[in-house]
Amino acid sequence: MSNLAAGDAQLFEDTFTVTQYDQSKYDRVARIAATSTDNLTTMSLDINIELFPLRVGNNIEVLLATSLNLDGTKDEEEEKGWRHVRGESNLADMYDYVCHGKIYKFEDGADGQTIRAYISFGGLLMQLEGPYKKLTPLRVDHTYLFIKK
């Protein structure tokens, strides 16, 4: 996404490899575990596998951003919802799986050098753990999750 002028809207972006896949609790939701290509960040994510099927070994690009707008401007939720795009192009057009949720909690990692961020997308949970430097832009706020293979 480096070619876009997303500015402050882009909170986190990385490529992950799916390392674990567990569909034992629900029919349409799997909890995946993934590791970033630089092996510094790990992710646990509940994902709707009917909408976005995954397997162990798949590589996925993950982006967290505060706005759907390509220029990074804040969404005007009072005027229009995410469904009212009226022909406008936005970040969702560039990704295969998009969710809206809230970053709700942070914890220090066990080694003191990492941080864990917890995010909920309507009950589908995500946990990111990585170095402070990579996860510093995250804050308790609403966010969009964008994923593509």
Side-chain angles (χ1 to χ4, degrees):
M1 188 178 134
S2 53
N3 58 346
L4 298 175
D8 294 338
Q10 182 176 329
L11 302 174
F12 174 83
E13 182 178 28
D14 213 337
T15 301
F16 288 85
T17 301
V18 178
T19 57
Q20 293 178 357
Y21 179 95
D22 178 10
Q23 193 188 346
S24 61
K25 295 193 185 222
Y26 302 102
D27 291 335
R28 294 179 283 225
V29 174
R31 177 161 289 176
I32 64 163
T35 304
S36 64
T37 53
D38 63 6
N39 289 319
L40 294 176
T41 308
T42 59
M43 173 180 69
S44 171
L45 175 66
D46 297 340
I47 194 160
N48 184 323
I49 57 170
E50 282 188 338
L51 299 176
F52 194 70
L54 286 172
R55 294 187 191 141
V56 171
N58 284 150
N59 287 326
I60 55 174
E61 292 180 37
V62 175
L63 170 67
L64 293 173
T66 57
S67 173
L68 287 171
N69 298 325
L70 291 173
D71 63 1
T73 57
K74 196 76 170 163
D75 294 331
E76 299 167 10
E77 295 176 22
E78 302 85 37
E79 293 181 27
K80 62 180 182 178
W82 68 272
R83 292 179 189 229
H84 297 71
V85 286
R86 296 184 204 118
E88 301 167 17
S89 183
N90 63 38
L91 273 176
D93 299 332
M94 302 166 67
Y95 289 83
D96 302 317
Y97 187 81
V98 180
C99 293
H100 183 259
K102 183 166 186 170
I103 303 170
Y104 66 91
K105 182 169 97 171
F106 291 94
E107 290 179 349
D108 289 329
D111 61 5
Q113 302 298 314
T114 59
I115 190 170
R116 273 188 228 112
Y118 296 90
I119 309 163
S120 177
F121 302 98
L124 297 178
L125 302 177
M126 176 184 205
Q127 176 192 316
L128 280 173
E129 182 171 1
Y132 279 101
K133 188 174 182 177
K134 282 180 82 172
L135 301 181
T136 296
L138 301 179
R139 58 196 174 279
V140 174
D141 198 1
H142 292 279
T143 188
Y144 290 96
L145 168 68
F146 303 92
I147 302 177
K148 67 180 172 181
K149 290 185 183 176

